[in-house]
Amino acid sequence: MPNRGLLIVISGPSGVGKGTVRERLMDDPSLHLVYSVSYTTRDMRPGEKDGVDYRFVDEKTFQEMVQSGGFLEHTNFVRHNYGTPKKEVFAALEEGKNVILEIEVNGAHQVMKKCAGERLLTIFILPPSKEELIARLEGRDTEDPAIINARLRKAERELEMAKDYDYRIVNDELDGAVAEIASIIRSRLVN
Ligand code: ADP
Ligand code: 5GP
């Protein structure tokens, strides 16, 4: 039987660089990471792929999954629903894989409660400054200004939750932030 894998929760305000950091971490085979692909009701962005970035579903399908207890956690974030599929996460952990959840703070709190008995690592990614966060979110050019503003308002409250996580890492220079997080993950792996 392999050792049960590590459940890794990564949160941080929209545009801070979670997806970018996560993709870089996944490139390191020594970390044995798998990414939990969430369900969402939001529209696909250009370049995103169904089943890879998210499972893009309609509201009815999402609510059916809620009713059947299919989510480990789920929440509404700026007008859309997001949820982590429960069965797949636990199956991967059982196989000894280290599973990354890239989720917002409300969902992360649900995971902290429900998975208290799991090997759990929680990391909050901080922006170097508010100005830089705005620049990254606008620079990504994937949301219209009203949504960007709503996401920035949400960021204020999310940053207050950073204290609830095991680690807080500033994503200033990308290579440095990735190396720091990789080293934290490595320190928690069982040989
Ligand atoms: P999130 O997943 O947190 O919403 P993204 O990974 O989509 O954020 O990153 C938002 C934007 O910021 C992207 O255009 C990305 O290329 C850029 N970015 C990410 N990390 C850095 C960094 N360390 N320095 C400068 N730009 C960054
Ligand atoms: P985006 O629309 O930018 O892809 O994601 C918006 C926010 O929802 C981000 O903070 C992202 O981490 C979070 N998110 C993505 N998937 C899930 C999920 O399954 N559950 C929760 N709670 N948040 C998620």
Side-chain angles (χ1 to χ4, degrees):
M1 275 283 280
N3 285 313
R4 208 168 157 77
L6 178 67
L7 182 57
I8 303 161
V9 172
I10 296 186
S11 299
S14 189
V16 75
K18 299 180 295 297
T20 309
V21 167
R22 181 245 308 163
E23 278 173 14
R24 289 281 298 275
L25 290 169
M26 305 280 304
D27 286 342
D28 183 342
S30 73
L31 297 176
H32 303 289
L33 297 174
V34 292
Y35 176 53
S36 161
V37 181
S38 293
Y39 284 70
T40 186
T41 59
R42 84 151 160 75
D43 291 338
M44 211 184 288
R45 291 177 187 145
E48 285 185 329
K49 287 200 182 74
D50 190 20
V52 175
D53 299 285
Y54 282 104
R55 278 85 181 241
F56 294 92
V57 294
D58 58 19
E59 187 61 32
K60 182 170 174 283
T61 307
F62 192 94
Q63 292 307 332
E64 281 167 2
M65 271 198 69
V66 172
Q67 292 307 319
S68 65
F71 289 126
L72 171 59
E73 61 73 35
H74 64 92
T75 198
N76 188 278
F77 182 92
V78 189
R79 302 183 203 173
H80 291 291
N81 288 320
Y82 297 81
T84 301
K86 184 158 65 182
K87 248 200 299 200
E88 288 160 38
V89 168
F90 285 128
L93 290 173
E94 195 79 32
E95 287 169 23
K97 292 175 182 150
N98 304 313
V99 181
I100 294 199
L101 307 185
E102 190 193 310
I103 60 177
E104 52 66 68
V105 293
N106 182 21
H109 276 131
Q110 296 173 45
V111 173
M112 288 173 201
K113 271 198 197 133
K114 283 192 195 165
C115 300
E118 295 288 334
R119 288 176 52 232
L120 180 66
L121 169 65
T122 58
I123 298 175
F124 193 95
I125 303 186
L126 294 161
S129 66
K130 194 176 166 186
E131 292 69 29
E132 175 65 15
L133 182 65
I134 297 170
R136 286 184 193 172
L137 201 47
E138 288 179 348
R140 191 172 66 188
D141 202 21
T142 49
E143 276 85 22
D144 66 37
I147 299 285
I148 288 180
N149 281 333
R151 284 176 176 239
L152 287 170
R153 278 198 303 277
K154 191 120 187 159
E156 308 252 333
R157 267 169 290 149
E158 289 178 304
L159 290 167
E160 290 168 13
M161 308 294 172
K163 62 178 184 340
D164 301 339
Y165 288 68
D166 298 331
Y167 293 89
R168 286 152 290 280
I169 304 295
V170 179
N171 179 22
D172 189 348
E173 194 267 313
L174 182 63
D175 286 345
V178 170
E180 217 175 327
I181 295 174
S183 146
I184 293 167
I185 294 173
R186 217 167 270 121
S187 75
R188 291 288 305 273
L189 298 184
V190 183
N191 292 313

